Amino acid sequence: MSHFGRSRLPDIKDTYSLLVLNINFRTTADDLFPLFDRYGKVIDVFIPRDRRTGDSRGFAFVRYKYADEAQKAVDRLDGKNVDGRNIMVQFAKYGPNAERIHKGKIMEAVPKTRGRSRSCSPRPS
């Protein structure tokens, strides 16, 4: 029986995915792998590409086997300059570990500009 029909990211419950934002469009998985592999066992590096053009979409996913290694990579690489861009590294929003780590942070990320304004006068429509 073939296991290729399953999702692109198998065994997600046993791995820790990091979302890497703001990567250079020329940066490849081969560039990122050695950088992240310094901090632990990297299972894979995935850079989503635009379906039409095939170009990088400017972010990547890096999967680690162990949570403490993933956390170390976040601590060391978040804000690091890679190929001229300061990358942002955080735990991805899916998987069993994501909800626990991101609780609270998600709530703060809601833009404060929406909703009620401070003035009592109604806005002209």
Side-chain angles (χ1 to χ4, degrees):
M1 183 173 164
S2 169
H3 59 272
F4 292 111
R6 290 202 319 228
S7 77
R8 188 183 297 131
L9 301 171
D11 310 329
I12 201 148
K13 66 183 186 303
D14 300 325
T15 62
Y16 297 87
S17 287
L18 300 183
L19 173 61
V20 184
L21 296 165
N22 200 37
I23 63 171
N24 192 309
F25 293 105
R26 291 186 307 272
T27 301
T28 66
D30 289 339
D31 296 330
L32 292 176
F33 187 88
L35 195 66
F36 283 84
D37 200 51
R38 274 182 221 156
Y39 302 106
K41 172 104 179 79
V42 171
I43 294 169
D44 56 24
V45 177
F46 173 62
I47 299 179
R49 301 205 166 269
D50 184 287
R51 272 203 199 100
R52 222 166 14 92
T53 65
D55 294 336
S56 161
R57 292 172 57 200
F59 64 96
F61 292 100
V62 178
R63 283 196 307 157
Y64 280 93
K65 181 74 180 139
Y66 303 108
D68 57 333
E69 294 175 352
Q71 183 63 60
K72 197 185 301 174
V74 170
D75 295 343
R76 303 281 163 79
L77 295 174
D78 185 43
K80 187 172 174 65
N81 191 299
V82 177
D83 287 339
R85 307 281 291 269
N86 287 344
I87 62 170
M88 290 184 290
V89 184
Q90 61 195 45
F91 278 88
K93 299 276 196 291
Y94 59 83
N97 58 315
E99 205 50 45
R100 196 168 59 244
I101 288 164
H102 283 286
K103 260 205 172 66
K105 284 190 184 169
I106 291 172
M107 297 306 165
E108 294 165 348
V110 176
K112 303 239 187 313
T113 52
R114 284 207 178 135
R116 294 188 195 99
S117 68
R118 288 177 195 274
S119 70
C120 296
S121 59
R123 260 197 204 116
S125 48

